[in-house]
């Protein structure tokens, strides 16, 4: 598991082989916020 900061929030980033993309999840929110990208940046 890799953790980065996005706009002041911590986010967990993992590779998803099914979509061949990286999936990020903002941590510490009451709801959910996911994002996808071709590279971890």
């Amino acid at each position: 598991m890799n953790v980065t900061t996005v706009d002041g929030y911590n986010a967990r980033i993992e590779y998803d082989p099914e979509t061949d993309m990286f999936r990020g999840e903002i941590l510490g929110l009451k709801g959910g916020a996911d994002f996808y990208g071709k590279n971890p940046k």
Side-chain angles (χ1 to χ4, degrees):
M1 174 175 71
N2 295 309
V3 177
T4 191
T5 303
V6 177
D7 292 334
Y9 295 95
N10 288 328
R12 176 178 59 202
I13 298 176
E14 297 177 333
Y15 178 71
D16 182 352
E18 289 183 22
T19 62
D20 191 28
M21 296 181 80
F22 289 89
R23 177 184 174 273
E25 177 185 2
I26 304 292
L27 304 173
L29 299 177
K30 292 190 184 252
D34 297 343
F35 55 93
Y36 290 85
K38 281 290 190 183
N39 63 56
K41 293 181 182 187

